[in-house]
Amino acid sequence: MSLTAAAATGSAFTGWSSACTGTSSCTVTMDHERLVSAAFAPLFRLSVTVLGSGTVTSAPAGIACASGPCTASYAAG
């Protein structure tokens, strides 16, 4: 059996646990009862406005602006 996780808008898939690991698709061989968990986390929006001369970048990537408001979504932490 193949499982694919799809996060709802405003969330990110953070990974599988139990019979699956990682963040890509999960393949489970059904030779006995199995448990698979899919974890999702909310995304939080960050908005940055540059006042004056200069630039703002982020790590992890997502924000790169020199003018106007820039926005990106990030997982907690």
Side-chain angles (χ1 to χ4, degrees), residues 37-74:
S37 296
F40 298 88
L43 294 175
F44 299 98
R45 192 159 217 41
L46 172 64
S47 297
V48 175
T49 301
V50 176
L51 304 174
S53 298
T55 60
V56 175
T57 59
S58 66
I63 297 288
C65 61
S67 64
C70 299
T71 60
S73 295
Y74 298 96

Side-chain angles (χ1 to χ4, degrees), residues 19 28-36:
V28 180
T29 301
M30 295 306 298
D31 53 0
H32 63 279
E33 194 170 299
R34 301 275 185 179
L35 172 66
V36 175

Side-chain angles (χ1 to χ4, degrees), residues 7-24:
T9 300
S11 294
F13 174 60
T14 59
W16 301 104
S17 61
S18 299
C20 293
T21 59
T23 56
S24 59

